[in-house]
Amino acid sequence: MALRKLQFRPGINRDITDYSQEGGWFACNKVRFLRGYPKKIGGWTKYTTSKFLGICRSLFAFSGIEGAKYLAMGTSKKVYVNQGGTNFDVTAVRASSGAGGITFAASNGSSTITATDASHGANVGDFVTISGAASLGGLIVASVLNQEYEILTKPDNNSFTFTAKDTSGSTVTANASDSGNGGGSSNAAYQTSIGNETGAIGLGWGAGTWNTAGATVTNPDGTTRAGGWNDPRSGPGIFQPMRLVYFTRFQDDLLYNIRFGDIFRWVFQNAPTARSAKISDSPSSGTEVPTEVTQVLIAQDNVSNIIIALGCTPFPASSALDRDPLLIRFSDVTDPFNFTPSDLTTAGSLTVQNGSQILRGVPTNRETLVFTESSLNSLKFIGGFDVFRLDEISANTSLIGPNAVATIDGVTYWMGANKFYKYDGRISTLDCTVREEVFNSYNIDQADQIFAAINSEFHEVWWFYPASGSTTITHYVTYNYLENLWFYGDCDGTTEGDASFSRTAWQDTGIYDKPYAAGTDRNIFSHEVGNNAATEASPHAAMSAFITSAQLGVDQGDRFVLMNRVIPDIDFKSSNAPTDTVNSTGGSIVDPTVNFSVIAKKFPGSATSTTNQSGETLSKAVAAVNSTTIDQFTEQAHIRARGRSLAFKIESTAANVAWELGTPRVDFRLDGRRG
């Protein structure tokens, strides 16, 4: 017998076969690499005290002049400013009915209230805040009416319905005495309309090419016919993008826009509960402010406070002018809310030359990078009469989705349609060892969901993406830019109650000392905290993690190896129970463990499980798998395995466990050429 060190190349490689990348790692989940060695990632806890509404696609951290920390959140339904874990709804008011402009009607035995307000302009799912209303005379008292409601139905353009509730959120049913209309002082404040949680194909009348074939229609006699003019479309329909919110800091305030919508301002000096407002309205009183803006941001010099609007309506404003998806407009140097080009201002515009639409602008310390779906451009503040200079960096690149790009330490990383890129003054392609694993499996129809996340503590860029056929985030891929290596994994459960790692937005450390991320369960999580996963059922649920090596053979693989012992080298030093679950021993778990498995194969095609990737049962013999439990006191473990090649797997499934693999040794001898 002879001892052999198990030393593997760092990073995961899925672009060559398991057998051909001997000496490397082949698969993992919830495991990162630190100084070349695999280590379980940190856990997460809930940060917010209550759930937000909708799906959050944008997080933006900033601080006030007095040092208060804020986290702006843009969801498919709302815009929030979070302070200390509490969500404050700052969604702007789109329109107001004015005193007496809205009336109400209730029916005995029903909880549905019908509101009448001429040309209210709201849609189903929008939110309205009612104030000044009087009791309807019975159980629908003033406090029931005077609160925020989500619009349930829209019978016509002059009315809508909602479900009555009391101040605790319980449903209230009207009685026979509810015959009033709410009085003459009632007012309805309509918030900006909600958007789609995901991208969707819009069908119905008028969708798709005019007068194309519609859905199959059933005639009154029960027969069917192919739909024609004035019938609902069955396809291809119109793609309806999901709602994205973009934030930027303006002095001590917050600017944001809803993609393809207006620019809004949240004034810091006001209370956190104060709502935002269009910058064209008082107190900003902007002039010729662009509308239908793809993204708002501040010039990269961050001193002039020039506001830049990407992919917006041109000057002069006119209802006949549509949004120009390649247009860049910027405000005056001395008056940031004035977008009127003249001899007295420096406001102006530039146009990107290549591509069909601007997808994203990314401020860096040198310039503002402007991406289209096929080009990368540099927007630089140069001052003087020209103000900005626009140069094309590349006309042969791609960006898979508007949020699939992030910048750290002066380097910008992004995910393209079929490869990863970086820009540090020149553009280059990243050598990705899991490229096929990612680009052969993501859902291109939901590319807008893909987003990049920086975890600067560990020098990592993460991309979260939905797999083929999925409409939610299901997987991630990570690039360690310091060590130039890749790893990947899945997000496990994607429903409430699971230990899900499905995230929809991310904010790196800086303002806060830990990264924050939005989950599909409508919570904000603080990451790299402890070793567990917060769920609806438990704040400290177990988080499973594993890593599997590629097959390791001897010589040319023509001889068998007999292994019978492993001397582990695993560090458990961070394995501690959370402070709110301390026990009589101080909270540290007594004996953290991992499962150490050896997978022996006779041939490269030997199965390592009883089902294949399609879920079909295999008829071939399963390779031998031998396992043992290893804890912090294990000196050696006896595992017997025989094969032409061996693979090793380290896995943890219990709560409170943290581990980092070093260089274990195995005891083996050559065992002939038979088999």
Side-chain angles (χ1 to χ4, degrees):
M1 290 288 183
L3 283 174
R4 174 171 176 173
K5 288 184 177 180
L6 294 181
Q7 291 181 307
F8 297 98
R9 292 184 301 275
I12 302 295
N13 193 332
R14 300 285 293 187
D15 283 1
I16 58 178
T17 65
D18 180 6
Y19 206 73
S20 62
Q21 69 132 335
E22 181 177 359
W25 296 104
F26 193 66
C28 71
N29 198 23
K30 311 298 186 301
V31 169
R32 61 164 43 98
F33 288 85
L34 189 62
R35 296 178 295 275
Y37 292 95
K39 176 181 181 178
K40 180 183 172 183
I41 67 170
W44 55 86
T45 60
K46 284 185 183 180
Y47 172 68
T48 43
T49 57
S50 60
K51 293 188 175 187
F52 50 81
L53 296 177
I55 297 296
C56 180
R57 303 289 181 185
S58 308
L59 293 176
F60 181 78
F62 63 104
S63 60
I65 54 176
E66 86 297 354
K69 299 177 181 180
Y70 297 96
L71 185 67
M73 305 157 52
T75 82
S76 55
K77 294 185 176 183
K78 296 275 191 176
V79 175
Y80 298 92
V81 170
N82 183 286
Q83 183 182 25
T86 301
N87 296 331
F88 296 98
D89 184 357
V90 301
T91 309
V93 171
R94 173 184 56 80
S96 178
S97 67
I102 184 170
T103 58
F104 309 94
S107 299
N108 184 24
S110 174
S111 60
T112 300
I113 306 297
T114 299
T116 300
D117 182 5
S119 302
H120 55 74
N123 299 314
V124 173
D126 285 358
F127 291 86
V128 57
T129 302
I130 299 167
S131 60
S135 172
L136 300 188
L139 297 177
I140 309 300
V141 296
S143 61
V144 170
L145 292 174
N146 293 321
Q147 51 186 314
E148 180 183 275
Y149 281 103
E150 184 174 3
I151 293 175
L152 184 64
T153 66
K154 179 184 174 182
D156 54 53
N157 291 332
N158 300 317
S159 65
F160 61 87
T161 68
F162 58 88
T163 301
K165 60 184 180 181
D166 61 21
T167 54
S168 68
S170 299
T171 300
V172 178
T173 301
N175 61 19
S177 299
D178 287 307
S179 57
N181 66 3
S185 300
S186 57
N187 177 67
Y190 299 97
Q191 298 173 26
T192 51
S193 293
I194 67 168
N196 293 326
E197 292 186 352
T198 63
I201 300 296
L203 301 175
W205 190 91
T209 307
W210 184 83
N211 206 29
T212 55
T216 300
V217 177
T218 302
N219 298 314
D221 61 0
T223 60
T224 59
R225 62 178 173 84
W229 187 88
N230 208 35
D231 289 322
R233 304 300 100 183
S234 58
I238 299 174
F239 182 74
Q240 300 175 334
M242 70 183 193
R243 174 162 138 161
L244 294 176
V245 180
Y246 292 106
F247 297 102
T248 189
R249 180 75 180 273
F250 175 77
Q251 298 175 352
D252 290 324
D253 300 335
L254 181 71
L255 290 186
Y256 73 87
N257 79 291
I258 299 169
R259 184 169 58 159
F260 311 139
D262 293 295
I263 302 173
F264 298 89
R265 180 185 182 187
W266 179 78
V267 180
F268 166 77
Q269 287 82 357
N270 294 337
T273 54
R275 293 193 179 273
S276 52
K278 291 182 183 179
I279 65 172
S280 55
D281 297 336
S282 180
S284 302
S285 300
T287 56
E288 292 293 342
V289 178
T291 59
E292 300 181 32
V293 178
T294 300
Q295 182 189 350
V296 64
L297 45 80
I298 299 297
Q300 99 280 351
D301 72 306
N302 206 30
V303 175
S304 63
N305 285 311
I306 298 174
I307 301 174
I308 300 174
L310 304 178
C312 58
T313 51
F315 172 85
S318 171
S319 59
L321 294 175
D322 295 327
R323 178 179 67 92
D324 184 341
L326 292 174
L327 180 66
I328 301 172
R329 289 182 61 186
F330 49 89
S331 64
D332 181 47
V333 171
T334 59
D335 182 2
F337 299 107
N338 185 358
F339 283 83
T340 306
S342 73
D343 293 339
L344 302 178
T345 72
T346 57
S349 63
L350 295 165
T351 301
V352 175
Q353 296 302 310
N354 284 309
S356 63
Q357 62 175 323
I358 294 174
L359 288 181
R360 184 67 186 270
V362 181
T364 73
N365 53 13
R366 294 183 302 269
E367 62 210 317
T368 296
L369 299 177
V370 180
F371 289 85
T372 72
E373 79 286 355
S374 60
S375 69
L376 176 60
N377 306 269
S378 169
L379 182 69
K380 289 184 178 179
F381 177 77
I382 57 176
F385 179 79
D386 292 326
V387 187
F388 286 98
R389 173 179 172 176
L390 182 65
D391 296 304
E392 185 175 84
I393 298 172
S394 172
N396 189 29
T397 184
S398 63
L399 177 64
I400 190 61
N403 285 348
V405 54
T407 294
I408 181 67
D409 296 337
V411 183
T412 301
Y413 302 90
W414 69 96
M415 179 177 174
N418 54 16
K419 61 184 71 173
F420 292 95
Y421 299 88
K422 78 171 183 178
Y423 175 77
D424 56 4
R426 66 183 185 90
I427 190 172
S428 58
T429 301
L430 295 176
D431 182 15
C432 179
T433 56
V434 292
R435 179 178 173 275
E436 292 185 8
E437 183 74 23
V438 175
F439 290 101
N440 289 345
S441 64
Y442 75 93
N443 185 356
I444 192 171
D445 293 333
Q446 295 296 328
D448 278 6
Q449 291 194 43
I450 301 172
F451 72 96
I454 298 292
N455 191 345
S456 56
E457 179 182 359
F458 296 98
H459 313 289
E460 295 165 350
V461 187
W462 295 60
W463 285 271
F464 290 84
Y465 63 95
S468 299
S470 176
T471 57
T472 59
I473 298 292
T474 58
H475 289 74
Y476 67 87
V477 58
T478 307
Y479 176 61
N480 184 315
Y481 51 85
L482 183 66
E483 301 182 42
N484 191 31
L485 54 85
W486 295 83
F487 54 92
Y488 77 105
D490 66 67
C491 298
D492 298 324
T494 55
T495 59
E496 293 185 21
D498 293 337
S500 174
F501 191 44
S502 184
R503 300 292 178 257
T504 57
W506 186 281
Q507 173 63 50
D508 190 25
T509 56
I511 300 297
Y512 295 93
D513 60 354
K514 294 293 181 182
Y516 286 158
T520 52
D521 61 357
R522 307 190 304 282
N523 286 303
I524 299 294
F525 296 94
S526 179
H527 276 263
E528 306 300 342
V529 178
N531 307 306
N532 301 325
T535 69
E536 292 299 305
S538 170
H540 308 298
M543 178 180 65
S544 299
F546 79 88
I547 188 166
T548 304
S549 75
Q551 290 292 314
L552 183 67
V554 176
D555 295 334
Q556 302 301 313
D558 59 337
R559 290 185 288 182
F560 278 74
V561 171
L562 178 64
M563 171 188 163
N564 70 354
R565 183 174 59 139
V566 59
I567 299 176
D569 181 21
I570 300 178
D571 190 346
F572 295 97
K573 64 184 178 182
S574 298
S575 298
N576 293 310
T579 56
D580 58 350
T581 61
V582 292
N583 53 33
S584 59
T585 62
S588 296
I589 63 176
V590 177
D591 192 11
T593 63
V594 298
N595 195 53
F596 190 99
S597 302
V598 182
I599 306 167
K601 285 187 176 184
K602 292 183 179 180
F603 303 100
S606 299
T608 57
S609 63
T610 56
T611 58
N612 63 15
Q613 292 181 346
S614 301
E616 300 167 330
T617 300
L618 294 170
S619 58
K620 297 180 180 179
V622 177
V625 179
N626 296 282
S627 303
T628 188
T629 299
I630 292 176
D631 63 25
Q632 56 191 326
F633 306 113
T634 302
E635 295 180 345
Q636 60 182 346
H638 295 282
I639 304 178
R640 186 176 178 85
R642 181 180 183 274
R644 282 195 175 92
S645 63
L646 305 175
F648 303 90
K649 180 178 182 180
I650 296 88
E651 182 176 23
S652 61
T653 57
N656 307 328
V657 175
W659 56 267
E660 181 174 0
L661 183 67
T663 308
R665 290 172 291 169
V666 295
D667 207 350
F668 70 92
R669 65 175 174 82
L670 297 179
D671 196 41
R673 301 173 183 267
R674 296 170 297 169

